[in-house]
């Protein structure tokens, strides 16, 4: 078998990346150390796919020559898979999965199978050819590898070498869907997507002022208040009328001292927001947006600003969003921040008996 273009990716996605500066020198088809690398690992399929069937990993040929896997094995220390008579052309990818059956593995066409499980939290993978260790990947979520559900962990295309793939900062969420139902994100057998992306637009949606008589929100200490924010990233948040790619898209509600910039002031406190399941972009007139909601428990009495921030690359980069109509389009405007005048409780706590 000769591996070049991937049958798992659309034609528009299968394009040979420019080989980076790391091209080990060598001759023949036998791989040398660092000439094949782990470039993508799907250790947590989700939403109806079984780990035992739908886990997979990807190997990339970083060299400018064809390499043979005939004498190569994959292992996680508990079991080993012989890779067989596979030829990988220069700059190509090979995909190995728990199951070769496309009906259960996520509609993948694979180059081989392996018998061991990929641990969702941490694992050590080794690729050996003969007695030579070609590449070793030790991933650990506690060390910074992506916490994925339905996403693979993808190596940055700017760091496709055996040194950089040891560093968790170079691993991230992929930005392409390879299976729509149940949705799975990754680029099995194709070029990896970039790690860093910026928000196109985001906005603090509502409420913009607390207390708020129109919404019957008293803004008293410890009152729970749901606050909404919206985000747009073309090609991502406009895939459906609901919310797309939570995990890759992340929202946080923050509050901090009055008249301060949340991007510059460390005194702001941030609360994770969740996708608003009731949101429909069509009925709201903003089909290209997603909406998130967070619950704020009103802090001690005083004056505060509040705002949202969003990331569309799994938390690597954040955009700060005020409540103006343009939101982040004109940068963060302090005068357009949400205004919170936290009130004391209307009835003091009863003393202990």
């Amino acid at each position: 078998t000769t591996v070049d273009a991937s049958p798992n990716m659309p034609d528009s996605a299968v394009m040979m990346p420019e080989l980076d500066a790391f091209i080990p020198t060598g001759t023949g088809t036998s791989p040398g150390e660092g000439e094949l690398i782990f470039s993508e690992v799907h250790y947590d399929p989700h939403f109806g796919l079984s780990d035992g069937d739908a886990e997979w990993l990807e190997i990339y040929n970083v060299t400018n020559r064809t390499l043979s896997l005939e004498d190569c094995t994959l292992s996680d220390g508990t079991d080993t898979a012989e890779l067989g008579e596979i030829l990988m052309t220069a700059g190509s990818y090979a995909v190995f999965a728990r199951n070769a059956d496309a009906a259960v593995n996520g509609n993948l066409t694979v180059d081989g199978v392996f018998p061991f499980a990929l641990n969702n939290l941490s694992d050590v993978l080794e690729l050996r050819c003969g007695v030579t260790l070609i590449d070793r990947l030790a991933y650990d979520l506690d060390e910074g590898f992506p916490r994925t559900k339905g996403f693979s962990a993808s190596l940055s295309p700017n760091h496709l070498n055996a040194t950089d793939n040891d560093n968790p900062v170079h691993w991230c969420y992929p930005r392409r869907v390879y299976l729509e139902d149940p949705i799975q994100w990754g680029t099995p057998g194709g070029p990896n997507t970039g790690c860093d992306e910026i928000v196109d637009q985001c906005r603090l949606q509502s409420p913009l002022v607390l207390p708020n008589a129109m919404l019957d929100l008293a803004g008293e200490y410890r009152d729970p208040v749901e606050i909404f924010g919206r985000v747009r990233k073309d090609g991502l948040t406009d895939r459906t009328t609901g919310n797309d790619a939570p995990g890759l898209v992340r929202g946080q509600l923050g509050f901090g001292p009055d008249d301060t910039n949340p991007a510059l002031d460390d005194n702001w406190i941030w609360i994770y927001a969740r996708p608003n399941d009731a949101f429909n972009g069509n009925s709201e007139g903003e089909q290209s947006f997603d909406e998130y909601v967070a619950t704020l428990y009103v802090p001690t009495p005083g004056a505060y600003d509040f705002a949202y921030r969003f990331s569309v690359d799994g938390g690597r980069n954040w955009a700060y969003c005020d409540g103006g109509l343009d939101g982040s389009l004109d940068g963060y405007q302090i005068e357009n921040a949400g205004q919170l005048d936290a009130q004391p409780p209307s009835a003091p706590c009863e003393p202990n008996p």
Side-chain angles (χ1 to χ4, degrees):
T1 302
T2 300
V3 178
D4 39 38
S6 168
N8 301 309
M9 302 301 297
D11 291 341
S12 61
V14 181
M15 48 188 175
M16 194 68 68
E18 292 184 12
L19 298 181
D20 61 20
F22 181 76
I23 301 178
T25 57
T27 60
T29 59
S30 296
E33 182 180 347
E35 294 189 332
L36 298 171
I37 64 168
F38 294 102
S39 56
E40 196 168 0
V41 186
H42 195 20
Y43 41 75
D44 194 10
H46 226 70
F47 312 119
L49 290 185
S50 156
D51 282 8
D53 292 318
E55 291 178 340
W56 52 267
L57 59 83
E58 177 190 83
I59 294 171
Y60 174 63
N61 178 357
V62 307
T63 76
N64 57 0
R65 69 186 199 281
T66 296
L67 299 177
S68 171
L69 305 185
E70 184 173 3
D71 194 29
C72 301
T73 59
L74 283 172
S75 175
D76 75 335
T78 66
D79 211 338
T80 300
E82 296 183 358
L83 302 189
E85 297 180 4
I86 297 172
L87 294 176
M88 293 186 64
T89 58
S92 68
Y93 303 80
V95 177
F96 300 89
R98 295 284 300 279
N99 195 320
D101 186 354
V104 295
N105 72 7
N107 201 33
L108 296 177
T109 299
V110 302
D111 299 289
V113 297
F114 55 88
F116 49 85
L118 301 176
N119 192 289
N120 289 352
L121 300 178
S122 63
D123 215 333
V124 178
L125 305 176
E126 289 188 349
L127 172 63
R128 292 181 178 271
C129 296
V131 297
T132 303
L133 177 62
I134 306 301
D135 192 28
R136 180 180 186 270
L137 175 64
Y139 67 83
D140 189 331
L141 274 59
D142 288 338
E143 297 296 326
F145 277 82
R147 295 179 178 272
T148 62
K149 287 186 177 181
F151 291 82
S152 70
S154 178
L155 180 62
S156 166
N158 298 323
H159 297 278
L160 289 170
N161 63 71
T163 299
D164 287 355
N165 78 342
D166 293 336
N167 190 335
V169 75
H170 300 315
W171 291 83
C172 59
Y173 289 79
R175 309 187 60 79
R176 187 170 293 130
V177 171
Y178 72 89
L179 182 68
E180 288 287 351
D181 187 19
I183 191 166
Q184 300 289 305
W185 295 73
T187 59
N192 292 5
T193 54
C195 284
D196 295 291
E197 289 287 341
I198 60 173
V199 167
D200 288 335
Q201 184 182 7
C202 63
R203 182 194 311 123
L204 168 66
Q205 191 66 22
S206 68
L208 301 181
V209 177
L210 291 169
N212 193 309
M214 291 183 62
L215 298 177
D216 194 25
L217 298 172
E220 295 180 358
Y221 175 64
R222 297 302 295 166
D223 279 355
V225 181
E226 289 194 332
I227 300 178
F228 298 82
R230 291 185 186 176
V231 59
R232 176 177 61 85
K233 178 64 180 179
D234 293 344
L236 184 61
T237 60
D238 55 1
R239 297 187 73 251
T240 70
T241 59
N243 292 296
D244 304 290
L248 181 58
V249 178
R250 299 185 183 187
Q252 294 182 350
L253 168 70
F255 68 95
D258 193 27
D259 291 331
T260 58
N261 188 327
L264 304 176
D265 194 315
D266 291 337
N267 292 307
W268 278 63
I269 296 172
W270 295 97
I271 305 161
Y272 271 100
R274 60 194 182 277
N276 177 17
D277 292 337
F279 177 71
N280 184 299
N282 281 346
S283 62
E284 293 289 334
E286 290 194 322
Q287 191 277 329
S288 59
F289 282 77
D290 286 356
E291 185 171 86
Y292 280 64
V293 57
T295 302
L296 171 69
Y297 288 89
V298 175
T300 55
Y304 303 85
D305 282 358
F306 62 94
Y308 256 86
R309 67 179 181 182
F310 281 97
S311 172
V312 292
D313 57 12
R316 296 172 69 94
N317 298 281
W318 294 92
Y320 293 83
C321 332
D322 60 49
L325 183 61
D326 289 334
S328 62
L329 284 181
D330 56 354
Y332 185 83
Q333 305 295 321
I334 291 177
E335 61 270 23
N336 290 332
Q339 299 298 309
L340 168 60
D341 183 13
Q343 302 296 303
S346 56
C349 297
E350 294 291 333
N352 289 329

